[in-house]
Amino acid sequence: ENIVVSDLAQKMARKSRDVIRVLMKMGEMVNESQSIDQATAALVVEEMGHTAVFVSDNALEDSLMDSIVDHGDDAPRAPVVTIMGHVDHGKTSLLDAIRRAKVAAGEVGGITQHIGAYHVETPRGMVTFLDTPGHAAFTAMRSRGAKATDIVILVVAADDGVMPQTAEAIDHARAANVPLIVAINKMDKESADPDRVQNELSAKGVVPEDWGGDTQIVKLSAHSGDGIDNLLDAILLQAEVLELRASTKGAAQGVVIESRIDKGRGAVATLLVQKGTLKKGDLVLAGTMYGRARALTDENGKLVKAVGPSMPVEILGLPEAPGAGDEFLVVADERKAREVAEFRLARDRQVRMDMQQAMKLENVFANMGKKEAASVNIVLKADVRGSLEALTAALHDLGTDEVVVKIVSSGVGAIAESDVTLAESTGSVVLGFNVRADNGARAKCQNDGIDLRYYSIIYELLDDVKAAMSGLLSPER
Ligand code: GDP
């Protein structure tokens, strides 16, 4: 299935030249009237922050997207920020300090609640913080294909420097293509040594602006509050560069930040609106469930009637707790919502069955005692389902009469030790597309001599596999 570039752009409500620019980055030179194949299109769609839905198998969802895509004129929106960093470097303290600073600035107090996100007003604009600190939430979102964060604040304690989770956070932000701002925290401490921190960051490729790099560094203290305003300024400056925009009109779309079941009130979900306006009474479709948003509550526990882009809001009315990172959208018609929810349930079941089937096939080969002389075995992990589907299809197509490509296992998310174990027992290479191996997996690869490779460009991955097939590339380095 091919699609014409201008049609693809129109489906995403984007300009053709934006699509062409993304294609160029991927090494494809095309004009807007040329067509590209499905795998490439899927990557473009992911790259531009949308979710790929294939017409052939997902005509239903496609029609749904068609009916809501028109959002009219767009308007500037606030940046959405996630705080990451090593344990005890002050992520929670910083989130609290920013919140306190805002209340002190004369905002109506209210009872602040933890709903997973909050926003602050500054003289130069609004900023929204996702207040589940740490990498787990960020990775969970990404693994579900959601792009909820515009800017990552990397907290580094001035008295401790770059630590393992600092480096991990840098990797996550890079992999997600999200700009970093560094907050050197605990500057009030006697032992603070910001120069050392900047040296260590530079060694990781995070070079301060003062040193000729492009990363904003803010020295601050979450305890005293010194430097918090500078951090907010840095965020707003970065946001200006990003030119963040979204429509305030039309049906709301966005992402589930967190959810839980409350004994009295049932499912409670925090949604981050990314486009359009979410109103009380709207029919919300989130992942495989839907329901009417009965009550909208902001982070101060106040009931609100409607919220626009970059705003978090807690809603009641879904039948169950949706997953963090699930995309949501408002649909006009209950029958459509049910159809799509049921369709997605069936699709998820199918994906699981396919996976089990693939494993069984693998067992058949093993039981037959066949040597995998003529196959390249792959354990494949990717950041989003769309990329995984595109890569799986493209890899299968590489197979020839002499050499087949066997995808022993594929999945969304970071490469874990269990993936490496599987690779070891099946003689596979481990390929990560826009994902990395966790520490345990990396160590196991090193110890056991398993080939582990990372990619962010589909063609590079395919080229390497092709090379491996023709024996040009030794399967282990
Ligand atoms: P997290 O694990 O990154 O969320 O770190 P926390 O916010 O829990 O902070 C870890 C410890 O560092 C706590 O004991 C804080 O009181 C302390 N801390 C955080 N920020 C500062 C700061 O600016 N100055 C000093 N002196 N201590 C801080």
Side-chain angles (χ1 to χ4, degrees), residues 86-93 185-186 188-189 221-223:
H86 197 71
V87 63
D88 280 347
H89 280 197
K91 297 180 291 292
T92 314
S93 306
N185 187 30
K186 309 198 187 182
D188 57 292
K189 280 194 155 184
S221 163
H223 273 190

Side-chain angles (χ1 to χ4, degrees), residues 144-304:
R144 283 161 175 265
K147 191 172 184 238
T149 301
D150 301 306
I151 298 168
V152 166
I153 304 298
L154 178 63
V155 179
V156 190
D159 60 340
D160 203 21
V162 171
M163 298 302 275
Q165 285 166 281
T166 317
E168 214 178 285
I170 294 170
D171 290 344
H172 280 308
R174 277 212 186 112
N177 225 341
V178 175
L180 269 182
I181 296 173
V182 175
I184 303 186
N185 187 30
K186 309 198 187 182
M187 285 299 291
D188 57 292
K189 280 194 155 184
E190 204 58 41
S191 48
D193 187 354
D195 278 345
R196 193 189 114 208
V197 175
Q198 299 193 57
N199 262 318
E200 291 171 354
L201 285 168
S202 298
K204 297 264 169 226
V206 178
V207 184
E209 275 179 338
D210 288 354
W211 297 10
D214 59 4
T215 308
Q216 295 191 76
I217 307 253
V218 181
K219 294 171 196 158
L220 51 79
S221 163
H223 273 190
S224 72
D226 286 343
I228 300 276
D229 282 341
N230 297 343
L231 179 65
L232 290 171
D233 281 348
I235 292 168
L236 288 160
L237 194 65
Q238 180 69 60
E240 270 171 36
V241 173
L242 294 173
E243 293 184 52
L244 304 168
R245 302 181 80 81
S247 171
T248 56
K249 294 180 201 132
Q253 288 181 56
V255 60
V256 178
I257 298 295
E258 62 174 46
S259 68
R260 64 198 152 83
I261 299 289
D262 183 287
K263 269 209 185 106
R265 301 185 297 163
V268 183
T270 299
L271 307 181
L272 175 71
V273 176
Q274 293 177 311
K275 270 186 200 174
T277 298
L278 178 67
K279 296 186 289 294
K280 184 175 176 226
D282 276 349
L283 188 60
V284 174
L285 170 70
T288 54
M289 69 189 72
Y290 63 94
R292 282 208 187 273
R294 276 194 283 113
L296 274 57
T297 320
D298 71 10
E299 70 260 35
N300 297 317
K302 274 190 297 203
L303 284 173
V304 290

